Amino acid sequence: MKSTVIKRLYSTTLITAFLSGSHIALGVPFAAHAEQASADKAALSEVKQTDSAPSTVNQAKQAEAAAFTRNQTEQAKAAALTLAQAEDIALNNSIDLAMLRLDADSTYYKTRQTLQEKGAIKSGSIKTLDQAKKKYEEMAKARKDLVHSQAAMKAQENTLRLQVQKAYLDALFGKAQLDLQKKSIKRQFWSSAPSEETQKNIENLETNHKQALAKLNELLNENPSKEWKLEAADDLTNDKLPVLEEIQKAAYEKRPDIVKAIAEKTFAQEKIDYLKDYSALSTYLGKMARNDGKKAELLLQRAKAKADQEIAESYKKAVAARQAMEESAESRKSAEKRYRAVLSNYHNGKAALSELAQQESELLELETRHVESIYQYNTAVATLKHSIGYSSY
């Protein structure tokens, strides 16, 4: 989701656009925003203006307050939705995934049937290579087919899960971006109303937010216009990153592509085993079986190398994003303190309005950067989890 750049009312400085792309979650950091809003309100109450505000200014403030109240009411009516709930809804409502589940279920019963039928054949009764093939190779193939069907289902599930996470975060952070801009406007008590350009930018942000919600609803198989009260995705924000070696080991056990490659190698080895017992590996069939085994091993090595590369890249981005998020949190806190100090000085006649306006602009910029850093970190964590195969650390 790509947002527009917001132009300040009192400055030509443009705030860097953020949340570009289609991407995982706000937790504790947004609580600080609520605390800051309370602090701003308390600080503003201390500002004593000697001149009465024009009636048009009062009307504008009243209209803004009424709009804010309506928005809060609409949000209260919207159904609450967590990231985990969104994933569950999408996984349960996906038709493509439902069909893969049915395929995997049918393959399971087919495998059970094959194993029962072929398992009933006594090893002592097998005298020829053809008889051995009908028992051992068909049993091995049935087991491989079952693993493949389950891996295909898991791969689709993982893909959908990542899509939902990104869409959820797009909508969540789009709303956060919009709220930050509106919060900044409310801090500007010296201005009667937003400029036409600023109001247009806010409308663009609202449009982008609605589009993000529509995308999320599409993945959830819900009405595109359905409203949600999105909860902070704390599981992503608060996740602690394990050591790289641990998640690589987990990926070897959970990634669908590696699971399929292991199944192919196992199948190839079982062919070699029964050919060795009922024929000879020096025969053409034996040589081809050994080649199949070597090929399966190479495919497994390639799958692991791909996993290692994806995980290493995702892990590096997650570590960097975590550091950026922590640094931006400190910068935002410092900006909040400076803003409150300048606001107090302005009240006491020790600071000019232009200085207060500049400090408010800097505060919004650092708030925006912090929100973006949280977004980037959660996106990195979501991508990392997908590269692992959504196994637990």
Side-chain angles (χ1 to χ4, degrees):
M1 175 175 63
K2 192 171 183 180
S3 60
T4 58
V5 178
I6 306 304
K7 192 171 184 180
R8 303 301 303 152
L9 300 178
Y10 45 80
S11 172
T12 58
T13 304
L14 296 178
I15 298 173
T16 305
F18 69 104
L19 296 181
S20 59
S22 59
H23 276 60
I24 266 190
L26 278 183
V28 176
F30 267 138
H33 293 167
E35 294 175 0
Q36 172 60 20
S38 177
D40 289 344
K41 183 177 180 181
L44 287 174
S45 66
E46 298 177 359
V47 178
K48 300 177 180 179
Q49 302 184 46
T50 57
D51 299 327
S52 300
S55 59
T56 54
V57 175
N58 290 333
Q59 291 172 1
K61 293 294 184 180
Q62 291 172 2
E64 182 181 343
F68 178 78
T69 301
R70 286 195 300 271
N71 181 65
Q72 292 295 100
T73 302
E74 292 175 358
Q75 285 293 314
K77 291 180 180 178
L81 183 70
T82 66
L83 179 58
Q85 289 171 339
E87 292 176 30
D88 289 340
I89 292 173
L91 295 177
N92 290 331
N93 291 350
S94 171
I95 294 177
D96 290 340
L97 187 55
M99 290 190 294
L100 286 174
R101 287 192 182 113
L102 291 172
D103 289 341
D105 196 45
S106 295
T107 303
Y108 169 76
Y109 291 117
K110 183 178 180 180
T111 299
R112 288 281 307 269
Q113 182 180 29
T114 299
L115 294 180
Q116 288 177 356
E117 291 176 355
K118 304 304 178 181
I121 301 175
K122 304 296 183 182
S123 299
S125 66
I126 298 175
K127 305 300 181 183
T128 66
L129 180 60
D130 186 59
Q131 290 175 336
K133 180 178 180 180
K134 288 182 179 180
K135 176 180 173 67
Y136 299 112
E137 186 168 337
E138 290 187 19
M139 290 177 68
K141 184 178 182 302
R143 287 191 289 265
K144 183 195 72 171
D145 290 345
L146 176 60
V147 172
H148 276 216
S149 66
Q150 292 175 337
M153 179 186 67
K154 186 64 176 178
Q156 177 65 22
E157 179 182 307
N158 290 353
T159 298
L160 180 57
R161 189 187 297 274
L162 181 60
Q163 290 174 339
V164 171
Q165 289 174 341
K166 290 181 177 180
Y168 185 97
L169 289 176
D170 281 346
L172 179 65
F173 287 97
K175 180 63 166 56
Q177 182 186 16
L178 182 61
D179 288 346
L180 278 179
Q181 183 60 34
K182 290 182 177 180
K183 176 183 175 183
S184 174
I185 293 174
K186 288 177 69 67
R187 285 196 296 245
Q188 299 170 43
F189 59 87
W190 57 87
S191 178
S192 60
S195 68
E196 182 179 347
E197 183 177 1
T198 299
Q199 186 59 42
K200 183 177 179 180
N201 285 330
I202 290 179
E203 291 173 358
N204 288 336
L205 288 175
E206 291 174 339
T207 298
N208 291 338
H209 176 54
K210 290 180 180 178
Q211 290 175 346
L213 281 176
K215 176 61 178 178
L216 176 61
N217 282 324
E218 179 184 353
L219 293 168
L220 301 184
N221 202 17
E222 295 279 359
N223 189 308
S225 61
K226 185 176 178 63
E227 292 288 336
W228 297 102
K229 182 180 179 182
L230 302 182
E231 302 290 341
D234 298 325
D235 290 346
L236 295 174
T237 302
N238 299 330
D239 262 358
K240 293 183 178 179
L241 298 177
V243 296
L244 184 59
E245 290 74 15
E246 291 179 3
I247 59 179
Q248 285 177 327
K249 181 180 179 181
Y252 290 167
E253 299 175 354
K254 295 293 184 179
R255 278 180 61 116
D257 56 341
I258 293 182
V259 170
K260 288 176 65 176
I262 292 175
E264 287 288 353
K265 180 184 176 182
T266 301
F267 174 65
Q269 185 59 50
E270 290 183 324
K271 286 176 63 177
I272 292 174
D273 291 342
Y274 86 78
L275 281 170
K276 181 173 60 177
D277 293 338
Y278 293 92
S279 179
L281 295 180
S282 59
T283 62
Y284 291 151
L285 288 176
K287 291 179 180 179
M288 288 188 290
R290 284 189 297 178
N291 286 340
D292 288 343
K294 293 177 181 179
K295 181 180 177 180
E297 176 60 33
L298 291 174
L299 290 174
L300 176 58
Q301 291 178 12
R302 186 169 69 179
K304 288 183 176 180
K306 179 183 177 182
D308 289 344
Q309 181 179 2
E310 290 180 359
I311 292 170
E313 292 176 356
S314 298
Y315 189 81
K316 182 179 180 181
K317 290 180 180 179
V319 170
R322 179 82 187 190
Q323 181 178 355
M325 182 180 69
E326 293 172 351
E327 291 175 352
S328 69
E330 293 301 320
S331 297
R332 186 206 65 205
K333 289 179 182 179
S334 297
E336 290 171 351
K337 292 179 180 179
R338 291 195 298 271
Y339 169 73
R340 288 195 292 268
V342 174
L343 180 62
S344 177
N345 288 339
Y346 174 77
H347 165 63
N348 294 321
K350 298 179 180 179
L353 179 59
S354 60
E355 184 180 355
L356 177 61
Q358 179 62 32
Q359 194 59 57
E360 197 283 328
S361 176
E362 292 178 4
L363 174 58
L364 174 60
E365 182 177 355
L366 290 174
E367 286 175 331
T368 299
R369 289 181 184 178
H370 182 52
V371 168
E372 181 182 9
S373 71
I374 299 170
Y375 173 82
Q376 295 296 341
Y377 175 66
N378 287 288
T379 296
V381 172
T383 304
L384 177 60
K385 287 191 172 185
H386 180 265
S387 67
I388 299 171
Y390 288 104
S391 64
S392 59
Y393 294 155

